[in-house]
Amino acid sequence: MRQSQLFTKTRREAPKDEVAENAKLLIRAGFISKELAGVYTFLPLGLIVLEKIKNIIREEMNAVGGLEVQMTTLQNPELYEKTNRWDDEVVDNWFKTELKSGGKLGLGLTHEEAITAMLVGHVSSYKDLPMSVYQIQKKFRNEIRAKSGIMRGREFTMKDLYSFHANEEDLNDYYDKVKGAYERVFERVGLGELTYFTFASGGIFSKYSHEFQTLSEAGEDTIYVNEEKKFAINKEVLDEEILAEFGIGMDDLVEKKAIETGNIFKLGTRYTEPLGLKFIDENGETKPAIGASYGLGVDRLMGTIAEVMSDDRGLVWPRNIAPFTVHLVALGTEGGEAYTEAEDLYRVFSELGIEVLFDDRNLGAGEKFADADLLGMPYRVIVSDKTLASGGFELKERQSGEVRMVNLEELIEIVK
Ligand code: ATP
Ligand code: MG
């Protein structure tokens, strides 16, 4: 992509009403734009990151046998009445709307009921199970506080997977598999080290639900980390009982702030029973399927990465999800030798399938460097009269700040 064609502009100052670091940076860099509190538009660079994260999640969900669907955003209240979740007294953050022809609709808050009801026509025998279905879709929640940028949207994108099983053993095995898939997602987006499998409240079929908590001072949750066993306990369930259960004491735990990036639950028959998702087992007996649900916040993940990997100069994208691998910066006079060389390099990179943002704008070096730092591509390559005179290009690694001179072969070797 040529930066001269990118319509988004960077800005030096963050908007006054934005308090979250992720939103400040992403807005300044032109990745997102704020429509309302908790409601953001994804601009070209932001959308590339979001799509890359979605694809990593998609690959890992497919790898554990998940089949992708797209459920509806408009929801039928009858289903949620059957499971006793429609009432505002029970769930208080639902956006609800009225039909002109009479009656109410909900705006997608969660999809356990919709998925379960949809599958009724597709499950009849134990031979139809297990079944694993997911979607990556917008969710709407009437959050009271929406001050965490894209980490807490009133409109946001979630990956939600639902699995259904004939017996508890199968559920438990699959649940562990999905846990593994989540770990690979966090690894691949660069958050592996900072993310802890965490015992939390909200358990339905099992005592606890399990959260994936990513360490950050910007987190709204408090967790207690056991570094040795690499797991954590959410403050909300920390008591004598759970310590005894894990055979640990408070001395084995360190208090940390963290962001809940994922949450998985064993649901048992909580939704399948009232909605009639039943099957006939090997002995001819009719039983409700046993389910689990697995949520992962896609834009919350992106916001978390912006939050924990940035520095005082701007964003720092891990390579797997960076909008472009290389930020190619031409310096000097437009049409001069350095620009011609940079054009050539842009072509070579493109032919090799290396993703490049080419700063071909007619601007001064200072402005271009500041933008490259703010936008945060993993590598910045400078082509100027000076670098050409010394036989090559200047390569800067965004994360480490390391700068060196390289020739064409070395450059390609490194960024390929
Ligand atoms: P929280 O406690 O932060 O409000 P939750 O427990 O209500 O979240 P879940 O229903 O567990 O959220 O949703 C699954 C995942 O979706 C969360 O782990 C999180 O990553 C993401 N998520 C939830 N609410 C939001 C939101 N308002 N904005 C962005 N992502 C969200
Ligand atoms: Mg949760």
Side-chain angles (χ1 to χ4, degrees):
M1 184 188 282
R2 283 172 188 277
Q3 212 165 338
S4 58
Q5 285 166 10
L6 185 64
F7 70 82
T8 56
K9 302 287 177 291
T10 57
R11 40 200 274 193
R12 297 288 155 247
E13 300 293 327
K16 295 261 176 318
D17 60 341
E18 199 62 78
V19 290
E21 199 55 40
N22 70 86
K24 283 186 191 172
L25 281 169
L26 291 165
I27 291 171
R28 281 185 51 214
F31 281 56
I32 62 170
S33 156
K34 185 176 191 169
E35 300 297 324
L36 292 162
V39 182
Y40 296 89
T41 292
F42 282 76
L43 299 170
L45 297 176
L47 188 60
I48 297 174
V49 176
L50 197 71
E51 291 300 321
K52 286 190 172 186
I53 296 173
K54 282 187 196 171
N55 278 332
I56 288 173
I57 295 172
R58 193 171 268 133
E59 282 172 19
E60 296 301 340
M61 294 304 113
N62 292 345
V64 292
L67 292 179
E68 188 171 2
V69 297
Q70 186 84 252
M71 299 299 291
T72 64
T73 293
L74 297 179
Q75 299 186 311
N76 177 1
E78 279 173 30
L79 296 180
Y80 300 83
E81 272 158 4
K82 282 188 188 162
T83 60
N84 190 31
R85 288 216 284 183
W86 181 253
D87 199 320
D88 289 339
E89 304 275 306
V90 182
V91 178
D92 63 2
N93 57 352
W94 218 310
F95 283 109
K96 294 173 180 173
T97 188
E98 306 253 337
L99 280 170
K100 275 206 193 293
S101 53
K104 294 196 171 192
L105 290 180
L107 244 64
L109 171 112
T110 183
H111 285 78
E112 279 87 4
E113 283 84 343
I115 291 246
T116 304
M118 180 274 292
L119 288 177
V120 166
H122 299 276
V123 174
S124 54
S125 149
Y126 68 94
K127 291 177 189 156
D128 298 323
L129 300 172
M131 202 173 262
S132 175
V133 183
Y134 75 98
Q135 62 173 348
I136 300 175
Q137 198 220 25
K138 279 280 175 84
K139 296 269 189 280
F140 300 86
R141 293 186 184 180
N142 204 340
E143 304 278 0
I144 292 177
R145 270 174 53 89
K147 291 190 187 303
S148 298
I150 60 168
M151 299 198 304
R152 183 173 295 286
R154 295 196 164 112
E155 170 180 335
F156 62 97
T157 301
M158 196 199 288
K159 183 286 302 170
D160 39 328
L161 173 81
Y162 304 87
S163 74
F164 300 91
H165 307 267
N167 57 60
E168 206 175 323
E169 197 191 355
D170 197 54
L171 164 81
N172 291 339
D173 283 351
Y174 191 72
Y175 194 81
D176 286 343
K177 261 198 198 170
V178 179
K179 177 189 173 211
Y182 269 58
E183 283 163 357
R184 284 187 293 280
V185 169
F186 286 104
E187 203 59 54
R188 289 178 66 184
V189 301
L191 292 176
E193 292 281 303
L194 289 175
T195 304
Y196 288 81
F197 185 71
T198 304
F199 293 80
S201 67
I204 294 174
F205 190 56
S206 54
K207 194 159 171 196
Y208 306 107
S209 83
H210 302 101
E211 293 171 339
F212 290 81
Q213 292 275 0
T214 305
L215 301 188
S216 165
E217 278 307 312
E220 294 177 15
D221 287 19
T222 302
I223 63 168
Y224 290 82
V225 171
N226 183 300
E227 200 49 67
E228 197 191 325
K229 297 189 185 129
K230 200 154 199 266
F231 80 98
I233 300 170
N234 195 311
K235 188 177 186 178
E236 58 190 19
V237 296
L238 183 74
D239 58 14
E240 290 300 326
E241 199 185 319
I242 194 167
L243 292 176
E245 206 174 307
F246 290 107
I248 51 174
M250 283 308 288
D251 291 349
D252 304 312
L253 299 171
V254 184
E255 186 183 295
K256 300 271 187 188
K257 294 305 265 179
I259 300 161
E260 179 201 316
T261 34
N263 200 182
I264 64 179
F265 305 79
K266 291 179 186 172
L267 302 170
T269 60
R270 167 71 180 86
Y271 301 101
T272 55
E273 176 96 64
L275 293 164
L277 183 62
K278 296 187 197 118
F279 68 99
I280 299 172
D281 74 5
E282 287 103 320
N283 307 316
E285 218 178 299
T286 300
K287 291 178 172 169
I290 304 176
S293 80
Y294 315 82
L296 185 57
V298 183
D299 24 29
R300 184 174 288 185
L301 206 53
M302 175 170 162
T304 301
I305 293 162
E307 201 70 50
V308 302
M309 308 227 179
S310 53
D311 59 23
D312 55 358
R313 284 170 295 129
L315 297 156
V316 182
W317 296 110
R319 181 154 181 173
N320 283 348
I321 59 157
F324 298 93
T325 309
V326 175
H327 202 151
L328 175 62
V329 180
L331 296 183
T333 36
E334 217 178 354
E337 198 199 340
Y339 270 76
T340 316
E341 281 290 330
E343 285 284 349
D344 283 348
L345 192 54
Y346 181 50
R347 195 167 339 103
V348 171
F349 278 148
S350 305
E351 279 164 14
L352 290 170
I354 297 164
E355 296 166 335
V356 188
L357 178 62
F358 178 23
D359 192 350
D360 58 343
R361 300 171 303 169
N362 191 14
L363 291 175
E367 208 165 329
K368 288 191 170 194
F369 293 163
D371 275 358
D373 279 343
L374 178 59
L375 267 49
M377 305 316 151
Y379 297 106
R380 183 188 77 185
V381 175
I382 297 173
V383 187
S384 69
D385 291 341
K386 214 171 93 192
T387 71
L388 292 176
S390 60
F393 314 101
E394 185 194 288
L395 175 70
K396 183 179 169 193
E397 218 176 295
R398 176 67 180 86
Q399 198 181 4
S400 64
E402 191 196 312
V403 180
R404 64 186 137 155
M405 290 300 299
V406 288
N407 62 32
L408 184 62
E409 290 83 68
E410 291 164 333
L411 177 58
I412 289 170
E413 192 50 41
I414 293 165
V415 302
K416 207 166 63 187

